[in-house]
């Protein structure tokens, strides 16, 4: 192993003096100009992880919904999951090591994890459309090659496309063909099959307006359109030709601001959706004839999908355990509707996709969505086998049809990670099959008015939480104050937690009216000081 080469090349990717960064819920995120050394080092770490797992590891250069000037990087584990938690610590350690210590840190990790350095390694690299992403992904490549490993640069891809590719490569193409074209073919085939089941198929072409957040999702949507038949007419806005990435548009803007993105022509009652900057989140919305904005976020998406799946499961007569996984940000109405009306068990985990993903793996079918629109569905191996068996078996026509629809849904959903393109196609197919308009979907339950606020404090780590972040244990007395404030309103709930991606405390409140939700959020944010 040529550690001298690693050390030599690392001087070309120097760490700014005193800069300390942490591998958080979404990998490293910072101003792009602070990240060159991080990229080089994550190239090195990906090689180590690849040697350890004897699999392809992914490296995605993106800062998702953050401003265009930011960038970031996350590693993708063998089956397309987020990097294992133990390795997040190694990532932080390697990122913050002084230059002369880099090889020692690498050797230390190798020893701890008993990694054979002779083992071959392969890294799959992808990037978003940020101006800084190309140079930064070159720094990742420098790290990979300094370590003497092989790589493939997939160039401009969405985050979920890279997760898909990594999974395909490591399952010997069982999950699909490990190319972007393979991804389009897999998804569009399943989508066409599912849409065929819609009784209205062929009568009225169904359309959706998409806000591409001026990012990679827009680019990739244009590509997938070439593979789609006429099942879905996509009208793309914010495609990156005029506006700036995530600037007054995109899923995060729409969800947090609770208003339409700029750059989109919306007519009353038209179905619209927004992707985020790396296309792993999606939210839907429309404006009604009175001009009022209606948001259909991750909770509404989870409800639509789980209801659809439950109805099909009843038809096929399979006794599979299904659950919905949410976080504390899930609207109280959605949880109530799922538990009380749909009789679907709901679990709450800490914020961050990896927590939801792990919980969802405990069920035959785990539907997980963050309220912000990041989510997917996981099918256990057993569930998948049973469904595929029924779909090709000698069963009555109705049963077979339902089994096939479940099978198509399995193939349409990107099980590796939340995926705006895949989720959009799942939603469009379900709406077509159920002959549902976006308004009908919206009225399934009514969201409780809610408000999210950010509070800047000297040190956000003074707040520690428990009970899936719904209860503050420190500083002393804070939770009691919040409880007092919550009691003043009806149908209310509020919590605070330190953000894992920004230097702020997040405040969430819901109540019976928007005024009360706003007031409660404001009162709670004052209590944080
Ligand atoms: P933080 O900053 O920890 O709240 C945000 C989102 C998460 C998740 C991560 C990663 C909210 C309230 N939080 O985390 O759900 O998506 O970013 O992107 O939306
Ligand atoms: Zn994202």
């Amino acid at each position: 192993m040529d550690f001298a080469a690693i050390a030599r090349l690392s001087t070309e990717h120097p760490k700014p003096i005193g800069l300390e960064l942490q591998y958080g819920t979404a990998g490293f995120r910072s101003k792009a100009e602070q990240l060159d050394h991080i990229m080089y080092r994550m190239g090195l770490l990906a090689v180590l992880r690849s040697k350890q797992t004897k699999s392809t590891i992914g490296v995605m250069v993106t800062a998702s919904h953050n401003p265009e000037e930011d960038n970031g990087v996350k590693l993708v584990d063998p089956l397309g999951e987020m990097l294992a938690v133990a390795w997040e610590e190694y990532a932080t350690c390697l990122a913050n090591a002084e230059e002369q210590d880099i090889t020692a840190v690498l050797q230390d990790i190798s020893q701890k994890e008993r990694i054979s350095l002779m083992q071959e390694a392969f890294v799959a690299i992808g990037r978003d459309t940020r101006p800084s992403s190309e140079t930064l992904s070159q720094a990742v490549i420098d790290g990979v090659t300094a370590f003497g490993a092989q790589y493939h640069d997939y160039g401009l891809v969405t985050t979920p496309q890279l997760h898909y590719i990594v999974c395909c490569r490591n399952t010997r193409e069982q999950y699909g063909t490990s190319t972007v074209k393979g991804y389009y073919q897999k998804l569009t085939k399943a989508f066409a099959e599912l849409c065929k089941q819609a009784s209205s198929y062929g009568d009225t072409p169904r359309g959706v307006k998409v806000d591409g957040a001026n990012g990679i999702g827009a680019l990739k949507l244009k590509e997938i359109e070439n593979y789609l038949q006429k099942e879905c007419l996509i009208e793309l806005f914010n495609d990156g030709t005029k506006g700036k990435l995530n600037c007054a548009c995109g899923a995060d803007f729409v969800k947090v601001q609770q208003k339409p993105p700029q750059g989109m022509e919306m007519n009353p009652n038209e179905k619209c959706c927004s992707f985020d900057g790396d296309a792993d989140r999606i939210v839907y919305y429309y404006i009604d004839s009175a001009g009022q904005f209606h948001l259909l976020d991750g909770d509404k998406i989870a409800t639509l999908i789980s209801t659809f799946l439950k109805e099909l499961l009843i038809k096929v007569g399979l006794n599979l355990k299904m659950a919905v996984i949410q976080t504390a940000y899930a609207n109280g109405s959605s949880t109530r509707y799922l538990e009380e009306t749909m009789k679907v068990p709901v679990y709450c985990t800490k914020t961050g996709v990896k927590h939801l993903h792990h919980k969802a793996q405990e069920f035959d079918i785990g539907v997980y969505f963050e309220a912000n629109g990041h989510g997917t569905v996981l099918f256990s191996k057993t569930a998948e086998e049973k469904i595929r068996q029924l779909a090709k078996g000698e069963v009555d026509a109705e049963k077979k049809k339902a089994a096939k629809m479940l099978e198509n849904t399995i193939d349409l959903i990107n099980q590796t990670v939340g995926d705006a393109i895949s989720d959009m196609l799942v939603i469009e197919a379900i709406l077509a099959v159920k002959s549902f308009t976006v308004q009908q979907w919206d009225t399934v339950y009514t969201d409780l008015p809610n408000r999210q606020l950010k509070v800047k404090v000297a040190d956000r780590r003074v707040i520690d939480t428990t009970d899936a972040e719904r209860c503050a244990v420190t500083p002393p007395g804070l939770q009691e104050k919040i409880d007092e404030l919550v009691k003043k309103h009806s149908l209310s709930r509020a919590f605070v937690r330190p953000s894992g991606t920004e230097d702020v405390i997040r405040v969430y409140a819901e109540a019976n009216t928007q005024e009360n939700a706003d007031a409660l959020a404001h009162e709670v944010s004052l209590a944080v000081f």
Side-chain angles (χ1 to χ4, degrees), residues 289-321:
S289 13
Q292 203 199 333
F293 177 73
H294 295 253
L295 177 68
L296 294 93
D297 62 3
D299 305 335
K300 288 250 159 139
I301 297 173
T303 306
L304 181 76
I305 297 178
S306 55
T307 305
F308 177 70
L309 293 175
K310 186 164 177 175
E311 286 165 0
L312 289 177
L313 284 176
I314 292 169
K315 280 191 190 151
V316 294
L318 280 177
N319 186 20
L320 295 172
K321 260 176 83 182

Side-chain angles (χ1 to χ4, degrees), residues 25-26 29 64-65 74 252 255-256 276 280-281 327 329 351-353 370-372 374 452 469 497-502 504 506:
T25 25
R29 295 248 177 116
S64 183
H65 61 274
K74 25 188 186 185
D252 197 64
K255 166 74 183 157
V256 177
D276 76 336
D280 60 0
R281 287 192 198 175
T327 70
Y329 292 99
T351 304
V353 187
E370 293 193 299
N372 62 29
H374 186 127
Q452 249 195 70
E469 303 174 318
R497 56 174 279 280
S499 157
T501 61
E502 287 176 70
V504 294
R506 291 198 201 284

Side-chain angles (χ1 to χ4, degrees), residues 159-346:
T159 293
Q161 284 177 335
L162 187 73
H163 283 250
Y164 162 89
I165 285 168
V166 168
C167 180
C168 292
R169 291 188 66 105
N170 291 321
T171 56
R172 296 170 196 274
E173 312 276 311
Q174 258 183 37
Y175 190 63
T177 309
S178 60
T179 56
V180 174
K181 185 176 170 192
Y183 167 94
Y184 294 144
Q185 285 171 333
K186 182 180 175 186
L187 262 59
T188 51
K189 182 168 176 276
F191 180 67
E193 289 293 320
L194 204 46
C195 285
K196 271 191 205 155
Q197 311 303 327
S199 49
S200 61
Y201 178 73
D203 306 351
T204 37
R206 291 174 166 262
V208 58
K209 288 187 165 181
V210 185
D211 153 29
N214 292 314
I216 185 71
L219 221 69
K220 297 296 155 181
L221 207 52
K222 279 184 197 163
E223 289 178 8
I224 202 172
E225 266 194 301
N226 299 324
Y227 295 80
L228 282 170
Q229 307 297 321
K230 291 209 179 62
E231 301 95 357
C232 180
L233 300 176
I234 297 168
E235 210 178 327
L236 182 60
F237 297 84
N238 296 330
D239 65 353
T241 51
K242 290 191 288 281
K244 199 171 162 180
L245 177 70
N246 296 331
C247 186
C249 63
D252 197 64
F253 173 87
V254 173
K255 166 74 183 157
V256 177
Q257 305 290 327
Q258 304 189 20
K259 63 180 184 197
Q262 280 176 21
M264 190 131 165
E265 293 154 26
M266 286 176 71
N267 298 313
N269 295 319
E270 268 176 357
K271 182 174 53 169
C272 304
C273 66
S274 282
F275 290 6
D276 76 336
D278 61 342
D280 60 0
R281 287 192 198 175
I282 184 168
V283 293
Y284 271 72
Y285 45 88
Y286 68 95
I287 283 179
D288 64 24
S289 13
Q292 203 199 333
F293 177 73
H294 295 253
L295 177 68
L296 294 93
D297 62 3
D299 305 335
K300 288 250 159 139
I301 297 173
T303 306
L304 181 76
I305 297 178
S306 55
T307 305
F308 177 70
L309 293 175
K310 186 164 177 175
E311 286 165 0
L312 289 177
L313 284 176
I314 292 169
K315 280 191 190 151
V316 294
L318 280 177
N319 186 20
L320 295 172
K321 260 176 83 182
M322 185 171 80
V324 173
I325 325 297
Q326 304 183 316
T327 70
Y329 292 99
N331 196 279
S333 288
S334 72
T335 316
R336 207 165 305 121
Y337 175 80
L338 283 164
E339 286 181 332
E340 291 171 16
T341 311
M342 285 309 302
K343 310 280 182 226
V344 174
V346 179

Side-chain angles (χ1 to χ4, degrees), residues 18 90 143 192 195 233 246 290 312-313 331 343 355 374 376 379 409 471 488 495 512 524:
Y90 297 147
C195 285
L233 300 176
N246 296 331
L312 289 177
L313 284 176
N331 196 279
K343 310 280 182 226
H355 301 294
H374 186 127
T376 186
F379 294 86
T409 311
C471 179
K488 286 179 17 193
F495 65 92
N512 58 341
V524 171

Side-chain angles (χ1 to χ4, degrees), residues 10 12-21 28 30-44 73 94-97 99 102 136 139-140 143:
S10 77
E12 290 176 25
H13 300 282
K15 180 169 92 77
I17 295 164
L19 180 67
E20 292 252 327
L21 293 170
F28 291 103
S30 192
K31 291 273 159 259
E33 59 272 16
Q34 295 187 321
L35 288 171
D36 181 66
H37 68 297
I38 297 279
M39 298 294 165
Y40 175 73
R41 294 168 188 212
M42 286 309 104
L44 296 172
V73 59
L94 187 61
N96 297 324
E99 232 149 272
I102 287 185
L136 289 175
V140 175

Side-chain angles (χ1 to χ4, degrees), residues 28 50 85 105 134 147 154 182 191 205 208 216 274 312 398 404 444:
F28 291 103
S50 170
V85 179
V105 172
E134 193 169 356
F147 219 145
Y154 287 90
F191 180 67
V208 58
I216 185 71
S274 282
L312 289 177
E398 271 302 297
K404 280 201 160 160
V444 166

